[in-house]
């Protein structure tokens, strides 16, 4: 294959539908790719965005060539003020173990000016390796937060702390948080900040002295009747023979892009739960 063709294969621990959304949803694209104002995975759709390299801004002008949902996306790629027109292609191949192989190509680089170093195949290869090997992987691959605490209190007391209207432990997430719910199984739960801006909405799946589990919608604006997302917060309570309780938390799955922020918040929250329960 010509050295002016970039060909990269990556394997992701994610389903094709998850990767397709990252490739085509502007709200996700701006987190790992470029800040594109509008995008439609439809042949003929044209879009523009600006990218910077070494303090130089390049205006990209692209046009969708082919779009097969969850399988293939291809679009032209050129720059304002420069000759040349290239094509980028993302092909998604599902694997039996629920992973996905991405076959990526960027063709036509020889049409760009040979005397423009920023448009060289080496620079493109370096950029795409970073974008696909790290940025996209962090966006689509997930992890589950797992933390534990040994608390000198009964499961009843800890459950009271977890479901108390004050939620002083939720200050770990910044600015405090309020839960609107009756804390009954099957009821909705809506988390807001102190200004009552909705941050998350879900359903209480389990509530007893052994487990408190909440599953959330993908979007905070979701309402009853819509399908719940994959994200779950699960508190498991296990009394010990010496009068303590082992509290285990599982939260996720979360994109690796967001995992460190959420984990840091939960690492602050659990000591607050412990301190309040042991009063």
């Amino acid at each position: 294959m010509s050295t002016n063709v970039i060909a990269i294969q990556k394997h992701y621990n994610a389903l094709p539908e998850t990767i397709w959304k990252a490739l085509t949803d502007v709200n996700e694209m701006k987190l790992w790719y470029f800040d594109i104002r509008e995008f439609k995975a439809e042949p003929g759709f044209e879009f523009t965005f600006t990218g910077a390299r070494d303090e130089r801004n390049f205006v990209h002008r692209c046009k969708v060539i082919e779009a097969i949902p969850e399988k293939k996306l291809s679009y032209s790629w050129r720059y304002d003020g420069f000759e040349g027109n290239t094509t980028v292609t993302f092909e998604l191949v599902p694997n039996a173990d629920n992973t996905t192989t991405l076959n990526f190509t960027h063709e036509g680089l020889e049409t760009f000016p040979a005397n423009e170093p920023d448009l060289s195949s080496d620079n493109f290869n370096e950029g795409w390796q970073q974008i696909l090997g790290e940025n996209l992987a962090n966006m689509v691959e997930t992890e589950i937060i797992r933390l534990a605490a040994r608390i000198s209190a009964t499961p009843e007391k800890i459950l009271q702390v977890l479901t108390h209207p004050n939620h002083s432990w939720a200050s770990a997430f910044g600015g405090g948080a309020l839960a609107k719910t009756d804390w009954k199984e099957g009821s909705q739960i809506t988390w807001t900040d102190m200004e009552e801006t909705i941050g998350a909405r879900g359903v209480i799946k389990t509530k007893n002295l052994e487990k408190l589990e909440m599953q959330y919608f993908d979007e905070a604006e979701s309402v009853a009747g819509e399908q719940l997302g994959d994200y779950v917060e699960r508190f498991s309570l296990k009394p010990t023979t010496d009068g303590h309780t082992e509290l285990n938390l599982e939260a996720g799955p979360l994109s690796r892009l967001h995992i460190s922020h959420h984990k840091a918040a939960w690492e602050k929250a659990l000591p607050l739960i412990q301190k309040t329960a042991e009063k």
Side-chain angles (χ1 to χ4, degrees):
M1 182 174 288
S2 169
T3 57
N4 286 315
V5 176
I6 304 298
I8 299 173
Q9 184 177 84
K10 296 292 182 182
H11 301 279
Y12 301 104
N13 186 20
L15 294 171
E17 61 195 62
T18 300
I19 302 172
W20 181 260
K21 186 179 180 184
L23 292 174
T24 59
D25 185 318
V26 292
N27 293 318
E28 295 199 4
M29 293 166 80
K30 67 182 178 182
L31 298 177
W32 69 274
Y33 194 42
F34 293 98
D35 190 355
I36 299 172
R37 180 173 298 180
E38 185 178 6
F39 181 86
K40 294 181 181 179
E42 300 174 357
F45 183 80
E46 298 183 20
F47 60 101
T48 301
F49 60 94
T50 300
R53 182 178 178 84
D54 298 330
E55 299 183 354
R56 295 179 67 186
N57 288 325
F58 292 87
V59 177
H60 302 63
R61 296 201 177 275
C62 306
K63 184 176 181 179
V64 178
I65 299 170
E66 187 175 7
I68 305 173
E70 301 179 14
K71 292 183 178 181
K72 185 177 182 181
L73 178 65
S74 180
Y75 46 81
S76 62
W77 175 296
R78 63 183 181 87
Y79 296 95
D80 268 358
F82 295 92
E83 295 181 353
N85 196 18
T86 64
T87 301
V88 297
T89 300
F90 305 82
E91 291 190 81
L92 304 177
V93 181
N95 301 314
D97 58 354
N98 290 329
T99 64
T100 302
T101 298
L102 168 66
N103 293 310
F104 170 85
T105 58
H106 191 168
E107 303 176 82
L109 297 176
E110 71 280 357
T111 66
F112 286 146
N115 61 349
E116 182 52 64
D118 285 334
L119 302 183
S120 70
S121 58
D122 286 343
N123 278 342
F124 277 108
N125 185 61
E126 179 184 348
W128 285 118
Q129 291 287 354
Q130 167 72 32
I131 289 172
L132 302 176
E134 185 170 337
N135 299 8
L136 181 56
N138 286 339
M139 183 70 205
V140 301
E141 295 189 337
T142 61
E143 295 181 12
I144 295 177
I145 297 170
R146 291 183 173 89
L147 298 172
R150 180 179 168 86
I151 302 176
S152 181
T154 63
E156 290 92 338
K157 182 64 181 293
I158 297 170
L159 190 62
Q160 288 175 7
V161 172
L162 291 173
T163 60
H164 193 280
N166 183 22
H167 294 293
S168 58
W169 57 269
S171 62
F173 294 87
L178 302 172
K180 296 182 178 180
T181 182
D182 59 10
W183 291 109
K184 295 180 180 179
E185 289 187 4
S187 294
Q188 282 209 39
I189 179 170
T190 300
W191 289 93
T192 71
D193 60 17
M194 302 305 290
E195 285 73 41
E196 297 196 350
T197 301
I198 297 176
R201 195 193 303 273
V203 172
I204 298 173
K205 304 293 288 186
T206 307
K207 181 190 177 241
N208 55 48
L209 293 180
E210 295 180 352
K211 184 189 298 182
L212 175 64
E213 180 176 294
M214 295 159 283
Q215 186 171 356
Y216 291 87
F217 297 104
D218 288 332
E219 304 294 338
E221 296 78 14
S222 299
V223 297
E226 294 188 28
Q227 184 175 353
L228 289 165
D230 294 329
Y231 179 76
V232 173
E233 292 174 354
R234 182 182 299 110
F235 299 90
S236 299
L237 304 162
K238 183 179 180 180
T240 64
T241 56
D242 58 359
H244 291 74
T245 300
E246 294 179 359
L247 173 63
N248 290 281
L249 164 74
E250 291 185 358
L254 285 164
S255 163
R256 281 169 29 190
L257 192 67
H258 305 298
I259 199 78
S260 60
H261 170 74
H262 283 264
K263 186 175 181 181
W266 280 114
E267 286 175 339
K268 293 179 181 178
L270 255 63
L272 292 175
I273 295 169
Q274 180 173 0
K275 181 179 179 180
T276 306
E278 290 180 344
K279 284 184 179 179

